[in-house]
Amino acid sequence: MAPAKIRGTVNQLFQLTTCIGILVANLINYKTDQIHPWGWRLSLGLAVVPATLMFIGGLFLPETPNSLVEQGKLEEAKAVLIKVRGTNNIEAEFQDLVEASEAARAVKNPFRNLFARRNRPQLVIGAIGLPAFQQLTGMNSILFYAPVMFQSLGFGGSASLISSTMTNAALVIAAIMSMYSADKFGRRFLLLEASVEMFCYMVVVGVTLALKFGEGKELPKSLGLVLVILICLFVLAYGRSWGPMGWLVPSEIFPLETRSAGQSVVVCVNLFFTALIAQCFLVSLCHLKYGIFLLFAGLVFGMGSFVYFLLPETKQVPIEEVYLLWRQHWLWKRYVEDHDEKTDQ
């Protein structure tokens, strides 16, 4: 529903409000942890508040123009589009929606269509690459080590809650930064710049832990403070790039006829790699120790290369015209042009 020029900013509200919710939950947990013995009951019970707000809000939430067009409710769709655009001059955009809906309706099997050669860019980048790489950034390894760093600074048993609160506060700040920069600097710039940052932080943390931590050595407080700062910087870099862009870019590149199937695969791949990292991380940490950070540094380097060579800039490009980007790309144009030639024949 968002206009192309502010689509990134509006889309980032999802990331921002999610991070704010997590931060508020951590603050509640921190306070209720001090209430014995029933604090945990209060913490769980307060989840009723956002659930109630979501239910009530859902009763008043209108359908999107896209959805109404697909249901054949053209007049309602036009009325909603006029309302969200704030102008009656919506005929061209409305006609694009109708044409895209007719093309989507002609597709009988969207999942099979997603794997068609002409949709290879969306499949590789949006459905597999970005959601997988979002979980392979090493974010979980940083968050896992955060309580250790905080304990070394004398936070004791509350280190886990304090580290979670600080890292989630950093994610909120990063989401705000991303909202104002995604449409100004572009998706590619944020992903590439953050990849360089995250690579450097991972290498520094890995080398530091290799030299100064483990095998009975106690981490000096000054060094622990440096690592805590690096952790917060890493979280800031992730939170304004791979965190939100892993959802924003896939939502922009799928055509209407495969959008529902594509977004389903995005979520599936993301959750699969989330579970994979959760199951393998501790085992890898025990075997690789500090090497796990160097491994993730290598993965981040690969992710940056993936974006540099394969992802075109989608900033301020209407979703109905994203297919034109593939025709101009050095690699993807081979797949799209082959389909165009067959269609012409």
Side-chain angles (χ1 to χ4, degrees):
M1 289 176 65
K5 63 181 180 180
I6 59 169
R7 186 173 64 233
T9 300
V10 174
N11 192 292
Q12 302 300 56
L13 284 171
F14 165 78
Q15 180 79 4
L16 176 62
T17 51
T18 299
C19 292
I20 290 175
I22 295 172
L23 177 60
V24 171
N26 275 302
L27 292 172
I28 291 173
N29 287 340
Y30 181 71
K31 283 295 184 182
T32 55
D33 184 55
Q34 302 170 15
I35 304 174
H36 298 287
W38 51 272
W40 64 275
R41 301 178 194 272
L42 177 62
S43 178
L44 289 176
L46 286 174
V48 171
V49 176
T52 303
L53 291 174
M54 289 172 66
F55 174 75
I56 295 174
L59 297 176
F60 298 95
L61 186 69
E63 290 282 358
T64 65
N66 274 352
S67 176
L68 290 169
V69 168
E70 290 181 4
Q71 297 174 49
K73 302 176 181 178
L74 300 185
E75 291 304 316
E76 290 183 45
K78 188 176 292 187
V80 173
L81 192 59
I82 290 173
K83 184 176 181 180
V84 297
R85 293 292 181 261
T87 176
N88 292 323
N89 186 24
I90 48 88
E91 288 302 325
E93 183 179 0
F94 181 74
Q95 192 58 40
D96 286 342
L97 292 178
V98 173
E99 292 174 1
S101 177
E102 291 173 352
R105 211 176 278 124
V107 178
K108 302 301 181 183
N109 194 323
F111 280 97
R112 183 182 301 169
N113 195 47
L114 179 63
F115 288 89
R117 180 178 174 85
R118 67 180 180 278
N119 291 321
R120 198 62 48 81
Q122 297 94 318
L123 177 66
V124 173
I125 296 174
I128 299 175
L130 289 179
F133 285 144
Q134 187 187 51
Q135 297 304 318
L136 293 173
T137 54
M139 182 69 173
N140 289 334
S141 63
I142 284 287
L143 295 181
F144 178 83
Y145 251 106
V148 177
M149 310 304 179
F150 280 85
Q151 283 178 348
S152 70
L153 292 174
F155 288 101
S158 61
S160 180
L161 284 173
I162 293 174
S163 63
S164 295
T165 302
M166 286 193 65
T167 51
N168 281 296
L171 283 173
V172 170
I173 296 171
I176 296 173
M177 294 169 64
S178 182
M179 283 180 60
Y180 288 99
S181 57
D183 287 319
K184 183 176 182 180
F185 299 108
R187 287 66 161 148
R188 268 175 59 91
F189 174 81
L190 291 180
L191 289 169
L192 291 173
E193 185 273 334
S195 294
V196 173
E197 275 193 59
M198 293 161 66
F199 174 81
C200 295
Y201 297 147
M202 278 293 185
V203 170
V204 173
V205 171
V207 172
T208 301
L209 292 175
L211 299 175
K212 299 293 185 179
F213 193 56
E215 298 181 0
K217 297 179 182 178
E218 187 174 340
L219 192 66
K221 284 193 175 183
S222 58
L223 192 56
L225 180 60
V226 171
L227 291 179
V228 166
I229 293 172
L230 286 176
I231 286 174
C232 291
L233 290 174
F234 180 91
V235 172
L236 281 172
Y238 171 87
R240 69 174 185 270
S241 59
W242 286 95
M245 297 303 145
W247 299 108
L248 172 60
V249 175
S251 73
E252 296 179 318
I253 64 177
F254 289 109
L256 188 59
E257 62 265 25
T258 61
R259 191 168 302 161
S260 59
Q263 288 298 100
S264 299
V265 175
V266 169
V267 176
C268 180
V269 171
N270 188 288
L271 293 178
F272 172 78
F273 277 91
T274 299
L276 183 66
I277 292 295
Q279 294 298 316
C280 298
F281 175 71
L282 285 178
V283 176
S284 302
L285 183 62
C286 291
H287 285 83
L288 299 176
K289 299 179 182 178
Y290 65 87
I292 191 73
F293 292 95
L294 301 180
L295 172 63
F296 281 122
L299 289 172
V300 169
F301 180 82
M303 291 154 50
S305 301
F306 177 89
V307 170
Y308 182 81
F309 289 109
L310 299 181
L311 177 64
E313 181 55 65
T314 59
K315 179 185 71 172
Q316 298 184 5
V317 178
I319 291 177
E320 293 78 13
E321 298 177 10
V322 168
Y323 72 95
L324 297 174
L325 298 177
W326 313 127
R327 293 181 179 179
Q328 300 167 6
H329 191 270
W330 67 274
L331 175 63
W332 302 127
K333 66 180 180 181
R334 304 175 189 177
Y335 295 88
V336 178
E337 286 174 353
D338 286 351
H339 170 69
D340 292 342
E341 290 175 5
K342 291 179 181 178
T343 302
D344 293 338
Q345 292 173 1

